[in-house]
Amino acid sequence: MGGVTVPPPRGDAAHAVPRLADLALQAGVSEATVSRVLNGKAGVAATTRHRVLAALDVLGYERPVRLKRRSAGLVGLVIPELTNPIFPAFAQVIEQVLAGHGYTPVLCTQMPGGATEDELVEQLEERGVTGIVFLSGLHADTSADPSRYVHLASRGVPFVLINGFNERVDAHFVSPDDRSAARMAVRHLVELGHERIGLAVGPTRYVPSRRKAEGFTAALHSLLGVPHEEAQHFIRRTLFSVEGGQVAAGALLDAGCTGIVCGSDLMALGAIRAVRGRGLDVPRDVSVVGFDDSPLIPFTDPPLTTVRQPVQAMATAAVDALIEEIDGNPVQRTEFVFQPELVVRGSTGAPSGPRD
C-alpha cells in the first residue's frame, strides 16, 4: 500500500506490527481508504476520515504528525448537568459528530450555584466560538425570556436548540416526539391490563413536560375513556430527579395507580424506590415506565421499561443543521421532531389485582 507506515502503538502493544487490515476492520472501511487517510490524500469524506483516526486511537497508535490538522473552529455545547446520564450520552455523540466535521467542542455544564446559561454563552463568545449547541436549556422553559436567543442571533453566532421548542425564537430545534412517547407508554400499560395509570413529570413551564402531559391525557381519554379534566388528577409534577420521582409516585400510589409513566429514567428509579418502600413489587404490583433509555438503564433491577430518545439521530441532525448554518447554507429554521421507541423490559407486567 505505497509504503504506508503506521506509528508504533502505545503501552503494552508497543512491539506489535500495525496492519492496514486491522485499521480497516476497526474503522469499517477498505484498506485503500485507510491508506488514503494515512497518506493525507484528498477525496475522503470527513466522517470516514474521522472513523480511521478513531481506529488509530482505539487500537493504541499515535497519529502521524502529518495527520494533525488545525481545528475548523470551536463549538460550544451548553448542557444542564452531568448527573443525569442522558446528558453525557448526548454530549458524547455531539462531540463525535463535531469532530468528524473538524470542529473542537467546548463543553459547558451548569451546576447549582455556578455559571448561568447567559454567563456561559458570554464566556463562549469571548473565546470566539463558531457556533453553540444548547441542550435542554432555557429555551425549554416557557417562563424564561427568549430574547437572549434573539440577541445571540443578532451578534452573528449560529446556534441550534435541542429538547424544547419555542415559537418565539427563529432557530433550528431538534426534539423527540414527547406526546407520542407518553401515548405509547400508556398504550403499553393498557394493553397489559392496567386501568388506573399515573404520570410523574416535571414542572408545566418546561415544554417537554407539557407535551408529555398532553400526550398522557389524550391517551387516557382515547384508550380508557377518561375525561381530560379527570385525567389531570393522575398527573404529579415534580423535579426531574430520583427524589422527585419518588415523591410523585407516592402520591400516585395513594391514588390507586397500578401503572406509572415517568418523565425520565431517574424519576422512574425513584418511582420504583417508592413502590418498594411500601412493601410492593415491581412489576407484580405496580408497573413503571421511564423515558430516555440512557446507557445503564438496561442493568437496573428490574431492567427498566422505557421510551428511548433517538440520541444518535437527534444529535447528528442538530450538528448537521448547525454546520449548514456556519457554512452559510442554512436549512429551514423549524422544529425537527424525532420518533421515540418503546423498549419493553422487566419493570412492566400485567396487574396482579386490586390493591387496598
Side-chain angles (χ1 to χ4, degrees):
M1 286 292 179
V4 173
T5 302
V6 180
R10 302 182 293 272
D12 295 337
H15 300 293
V17 178
R19 297 189 306 166
L20 291 180
D22 296 332
L23 293 171
L25 180 63
Q26 179 67 35
V29 299
S30 68
E31 292 183 35
T33 298
V34 172
S35 176
R36 294 187 66 83
V37 172
L38 296 181
N39 282 299
K41 301 293 185 181
V44 180
T47 53
T48 302
R49 180 181 184 278
H50 177 66
R51 290 210 305 271
V52 174
L53 296 181
L56 279 171
D57 298 339
V58 170
L59 295 178
Y61 300 109
E62 293 185 11
R63 297 184 185 182
V65 175
R66 64 177 173 274
L67 293 184
K68 297 179 180 179
R69 63 178 182 178
R70 296 186 62 182
S71 171
L74 303 177
V75 172
L77 171 56
V78 181
I79 66 175
E81 36 100 356
L82 292 173
T83 53
N84 186 334
I86 194 61
F87 294 134
F90 264 107
Q92 182 175 9
V93 177
I94 291 170
E95 291 180 347
Q96 287 174 344
V97 179
L98 283 171
H101 286 284
Y103 287 88
T104 302
V106 180
L107 180 62
C108 297
T109 306
Q110 300 177 62
M111 300 296 291
T116 64
E117 181 178 302
D118 293 335
E119 291 170 340
L120 292 173
V121 169
E122 182 179 349
Q123 294 167 15
L124 288 171
E125 288 190 88
E126 290 175 353
R127 297 188 63 176
V129 294
T130 308
I132 302 176
V133 179
F134 293 91
L135 174 60
S136 299
L138 290 174
H139 63 279
D141 188 342
T142 57
S143 68
D145 184 1
S147 65
R148 54 177 42 89
Y149 302 108
V150 177
H151 295 156
L152 182 62
S154 70
R155 296 193 294 273
V157 180
F159 60 91
V160 64
L161 304 160
I162 303 176
N163 272 352
F165 176 70
N166 192 321
E167 62 184 11
R168 294 176 291 176
V169 180
D170 181 25
H172 303 289
F173 291 90
V174 176
S175 308
D177 191 336
D178 290 296
R179 295 185 184 92
S180 177
R183 287 195 298 267
M184 63 178 63
V186 171
R187 183 181 300 109
H188 171 61
L189 292 174
V190 170
E191 289 174 349
L192 288 172
H194 294 272
E195 298 179 352
R196 206 167 180 85
I197 300 168
L199 174 68
V201 74
T204 305
R205 70 176 189 271
Y206 294 117
V207 174
S209 298
R210 182 174 299 181
R211 288 178 168 180
K212 286 185 176 72
E214 291 171 354
F216 173 79
T217 56
L220 285 192
H221 179 70
S222 63
L223 297 174
L224 295 174
V226 179
H228 289 283
E229 290 187 5
E230 183 180 337
Q232 297 295 327
H233 299 306
F234 295 97
I235 300 176
R236 294 295 182 273
R237 294 176 172 85
T238 182
L239 300 177
F240 278 110
S241 64
V242 172
E243 293 75 17
Q246 183 174 1
V247 170
L252 292 172
L253 291 174
D254 289 339
C257 291
T258 62
I260 299 176
V261 177
C262 297
S264 75
D265 288 339
L266 290 185
M267 295 176 74
L269 296 181
I272 292 174
R273 179 190 290 178
V275 172
R276 288 175 171 168
R278 305 221 177 167
L280 302 174
D281 180 76
V282 175
R284 186 182 66 242
D285 300 305
V286 180
S287 289
V288 177
V289 182
F291 178 80
D292 284 335
D293 196 30
S294 42
L296 295 178
I297 287 304
F299 307 103
T300 58
D301 179 25
L304 185 66
T305 293
T306 187
V307 180
R308 175 182 295 158
Q309 281 205 69
V311 172
Q312 182 75 41
M314 289 174 60
T316 301
V319 174
D320 287 347
L322 181 66
I323 299 301
E324 291 296 326
E325 188 84 15
I326 291 172
D327 291 343
N329 305 306
V331 295
Q332 181 182 4
R333 292 178 177 175
T334 185
E335 182 182 24
F336 299 94
V337 180
F338 288 76
Q339 187 67 19
E341 175 189 1
L342 177 69
V343 182
V344 178
R345 299 194 180 99
S347 67
T348 52
S352 58
R355 291 191 291 108
D356 295 332

